[in-house]
Amino acid sequence: GMSELMSQPTVGFQGVPGAYSESASIEAFAAAGVDEIQARGFHTFEDVFVALSKGAIDYAVLPVENTLGGSIHVNYDLLLRFHGAVHILGEYTLRVRHTLLALPGVQLNDIKKAMSHPQALAQTESYLRTAGIAPLVGYDTAGSAELVVQQGLRDTAAIASIHAAKVHGLEVLDYGIEDDPNNFTRFLILSRAAPPPGALLGFAAKTSVVFTPHRDEAGVL
């Protein structure tokens, strides 16, 4: 049962507030019956693993695969490197819905550019082309939303999650603008301690995720 979980576990993710990984963290724990979490963003995936292995956070939620972008190899590598220090509790699949976000009062026809992570721009390419909006590469989705606010950009939208709109006080100009609706990211939920047998906290359990490659296949992952 859930009783062994603290009331507000700290969950680490890679990114800034409003990132898809933060959405996945909130949704995954809500699905497992934990409504309140302290989500903490880290700069790199490695930073998340280090924090978890040292006990600075209780759990981590990390993407390992996207239906369009493929595997997120760095996290497979880190799972191998931190083998024994962190444990996989389960997995969660997030439907990625890209949203066009702008400052309050800005209309869709004011928007000349859209800033986001390169992968999000690639996934909304024909939408942007049809709308006559130029893509602008940003560091990540939620970071682009933050920048629109910080710099008061009224001709530039951010492409990010609907969660990022709430976090950064932006308005939704359009929702579900991804070209391909088959856009899902699979996340692993990790803990520091091995779970007691049968206590999988209501997460969908996946028994084997990492296969240690043979020496001659060092580049497989």
Side-chain angles (χ1 to χ4, degrees), residues 59-210:
Y59 300 97
V61 173
L62 293 156
V64 286
E65 197 182 5
N66 175 266
T67 44
L68 304 176
S71 293
I72 295 127
H73 300 289
V74 59
N75 283 333
Y76 283 104
D77 294 341
L78 286 163
L79 279 168
L80 287 172
R81 226 179 88 197
F82 284 83
H83 183 75
V86 303
H87 298 272
I88 298 166
L89 285 181
E91 62 169 52
Y92 183 78
T93 300
L94 179 81
R95 166 88 190 268
V96 177
R97 304 298 308 265
H98 291 310
T99 309
L100 195 68
L101 307 178
L103 288 172
V106 170
Q107 306 296 311
L108 188 53
N109 56 12
D110 299 328
I111 297 299
K112 306 285 177 277
K113 294 172 280 194
M115 193 191 313
S116 198
H117 183 278
Q119 197 176 46
L121 293 173
Q123 292 174 358
T124 54
E125 192 180 1
S126 50
Y127 172 87
L128 293 176
R129 197 170 48 243
T130 305
I133 297 171
L136 195 61
V137 172
Y139 176 67
D140 58 24
T141 57
S144 298
E146 202 173 26
L147 212 64
V148 167
V149 175
Q150 281 172 353
Q151 300 187 359
L153 305 174
R154 302 189 71 81
D155 65 342
T156 306
I159 297 169
S161 68
I162 197 145
H163 175 58
K166 297 191 198 93
V167 169
H168 297 290
L170 291 168
E171 281 180 4
V172 175
L173 293 183
D174 210 345
Y175 175 73
I177 65 167
E178 61 279 353
D179 300 329
D180 185 342
N182 180 35
N183 193 347
F184 295 87
T185 301
R186 191 158 67 88
F187 289 84
L188 295 183
I189 297 114
L190 307 179
S191 72
R192 186 183 182 204
L200 272 174
L201 305 184
F203 294 115
K206 195 80 172 172
T207 41
S208 57
V209 178
V210 175

Side-chain angles (χ1 to χ4, degrees), residues 49-57 85 192:
F49 274 88
V50 169
L52 184 61
S53 66
K54 287 182 172 169
I57 52 178
R192 186 183 182 204

